[in-house]
Each structure stands twice: as structure tokens, then as C-alpha cells.
Amino acid sequence: MADRRRFLGRAFAGLSTAMLAGCYDLDEKPWFTGALGKVENLTREVQHLFAGPQTLAQEFTKADIAPVFRANGTRDPGTPDYKAHLANGFRDWRVTVSGLVDHPLSLSMDRIRAMPQRTQITRHDCVEGWSCIGEWSGPQLALVLAAAAPRPKARYAVFYCADPMTVEGDPDHYYYESLELSEAMHPQTILAHRLNGAILDVPHGAPVRLRAERQLGYKQPKYLQRIVLTDTLQGIGGGKGGYWEDQGYTWYGGI
Ligand SMILES: Nc1nc2c(c(=O)[nH]1)N[C@H]1C(S)=C(S)[C@@H](COP(=O)(O)O)O[C@H]1N2
Ligand SMILES: [Mo]
């Protein structure tokens, strides 16, 4: 345990010294890739060792923001449905909240923009080996979920997206993700509709995507349409809690 603490101390010190402004390619830093792998394996333990469930991810200053925020995964859902939404400025886009809630919701973008907003400058870490600092704005998901009144049995929030993904033998498969409710209610988990002060663009998830700042990149679903509260992940997609999890990534994507 003490060894692990020492190791993590070093790993995190390394992370912060690497934190020069903007985007950097971690592939160029072999020590980092190794450390990230190990940190990932320990993350569950780290949270309990160092952090209560409501600990904040580090926030940065405007000077740290990357001039260009890299886009990854789907850069445009490209479906007829999405194209129609884009063409009319997402006026008919809805984010629905259903499942184990007393008050199912259907929120327009106007509603989402009219809620109290949180702005946070954070570092996005993709497991493919790059990080990027950006400023995200939107309402806290906790406010939305509170309005939906989760039932006591609710354990997970499952997020469904508008972009189709290739899954062999399943032509009708879209990106999805999930978080434990405590992580969904975390103060830095927001429905982000702005990036670096501008309206969220298509490559980064327009009109709205999740930011859960203590989580790895694949836990930040873009093109968000539907949030369903459940008591189990079984029977959803491949049953592992997310598109990438179904391909073998770990469900626990905490940093
Ligand atoms: N809907 C959707 N969300 C997604 C993805 C995707 O392909 N589709 N890729 C994930 C991954 S692996 C990363 S690193 C981030 C990339 O976000 P960005 O394009 O804003 O950088 O989005 C995540 N959310
Ligand atoms: Mo990623």
C-alpha cells in the first residue's frame, strides 16, 4: 500500500510537470503511457485512498487552454436524422431522462441553456495517448437528475448518443456510456453545450455532450440524446456499460 502511494505520488507529480499549455501527445513520452496504464489499474483504490467521492478534478486557467482541442472518435454522426437536426440549429433536439425516475424529462436546448451554468477548464485524457485542456460550460447533471427525481433503486445513469458505431452483426448500434449515479451527480459532471466560449461544434459533440471530469475520454459521450437511470447494466448493449467497454475497455474509467 505504501509503495503504491509512493508510486502514485510520483505518477501524479509527473502528470503535473507535463502540464504545459494545450494539447500534447503522450505517445512521445513513454514514461507517461506506462504511468497512465498503472494509474488506471489503481484508480478504484486511489479514489478511496486519496479522495472522497466528491473530490474535484483539477481545474486550469484560460492561459492553459489548447489553441485547438483535438477531436476523436465520431467527428460527425452523419445520419439523416442528425443532419436534419443540424440543419435547423438543433431546435428540435431533446435530451430525455427516463427509467428509474419519478418525473421523466424531455429537455430542449433552450431549457438546457436556461439552467444555471457551470464553466470549468479541465484536462481531457484519452487512453489513446493524448490530453487536451479546454473550457466547457453547461448545467450540472445533478440539477437535471434532481428534477427527474431518481428512485431509490437507481444505480447507474446510461447515456445514449446519436452516432452509429460499427458492431459486427448489429447494424443498429449507437455509442453509449454509463456512470454510477454518484459520478453522474458529481459537481463537475455537466451537460456541456459550449467549448472554449463557443457553441459546441459537430466534431466535439454538438449540440450537447457529457463532461465528467474525473473520467477518461471514452466516458464523455458526445451527441447526447437520452439518459436512462437503471439498477443494472445487464441487457444494455453488450452488457458492459458502454460501447468501448463492450470492446474490452474497463468500465471504471476514473482518472
Ligand atoms: N458519441 C460519442 N461519444 C464519444 C466518442 C464517440 O466516438 N462517440 N468518443 C469518445 C472518446 S474515445 C474520446 S477521447 C472523446 C473525444 O472527445 P472530443 O472529440 O471532444 O475530443 O469522446 C468520447 N465520446
Ligand atoms: Mo478516447
Side-chain angles (χ1 to χ4, degrees):
M1 193 64 78
D3 278 343
R4 287 188 172 184
R5 274 178 195 263
R6 268 199 297 278
F7 163 74
L8 287 162
R10 280 201 304 275
F12 286 129
L15 288 180
S16 50
T17 51
M19 242 161 249
L20 306 169
C23 272
Y24 32 93
D25 211 324
L26 305 175
D27 290 335
E28 290 161 16
K29 301 183 178 67
W31 61 268
F32 189 105
T33 313
L36 187 62
K38 288 184 199 120
V39 170
E40 253 187 85
N41 294 336
L42 292 170
T43 41
R44 235 177 233 283
E45 197 179 339
V46 171
Q47 288 235 346
H48 296 296
L49 271 178
F50 293 179
Q54 295 291 307
T55 303
L56 297 181
Q58 184 175 3
E59 294 193 13
F60 297 83
T61 67
K62 291 226 186 242
D64 300 315
I65 294 173
V68 176
F69 197 98
R70 193 157 151 177
N72 199 40
T74 303
R75 287 166 176 80
D76 183 351
T79 61
D81 191 55
Y82 186 82
K83 281 182 185 156
H85 281 295
L86 179 62
N88 85 346
F90 297 106
R91 267 184 292 280
D92 301 324
W93 190 271
R94 293 289 180 278
V95 176
T96 62
V97 184
S98 61
L100 295 174
V101 296
D102 282 339
H103 305 299
L105 304 174
S106 175
L107 305 173
S108 66
M109 289 311 299
D110 278 346
R111 255 310 272 298
I112 288 171
R113 284 186 286 257
M115 294 179 69
Q117 305 288 302
R118 187 177 206 281
T119 291
Q120 53 202 29
I121 302 175
T122 52
R123 194 189 65 237
H124 176 102
D125 294 314
C126 173
V127 290
E128 288 169 29
W130 58 275
S131 295
C132 230
I133 293 174
E135 182 190 71
W136 302 95
S137 307
Q140 289 172 315
L141 182 59
L143 292 179
V144 173
L145 294 183
R151 298 203 178 129
K153 269 185 73 182
R155 212 180 139 196
Y156 304 101
V158 185
F159 304 94
Y160 294 92
C161 307
D163 51 325
M165 306 298 286
T166 311
V167 174
E168 224 166 295
D170 181 358
D172 210 24
H173 198 99
Y174 291 76
Y175 198 94
Y176 80 102
E177 250 307 330
S178 61
L179 292 175
E180 211 145 37
L181 220 49
S182 58
E183 202 61 30
M185 302 289 265
H186 184 271
Q188 288 167 313
T189 301
I190 66 172
L191 295 180
H193 54 87
R194 296 182 79 79
L195 169 58
N196 296 337
I199 290 172
L200 193 65
D201 61 3
V202 171
H204 296 100
V208 61
R209 64 97 57 85
L210 194 78
R211 290 298 311 173
E213 301 297 356
R214 300 190 309 177
Q215 302 287 319
L216 289 166
Y218 63 90
K219 304 289 283 187
Q220 324 281 333
K222 309 194 273 191
Y223 320 108
L224 181 62
Q225 286 187 305
R226 207 149 54 90
I227 303 171
V228 180
L229 300 200
T230 66
D231 58 353
T232 176
L233 299 173
Q234 275 170 32
I236 299 168
K240 301 270 168 47
Y243 171 76
W244 281 113
E245 287 86 336
D246 290 339
Q247 324 296 313
Y249 283 29
T250 130
W251 177 77
Y252 187 77
I255 297 170

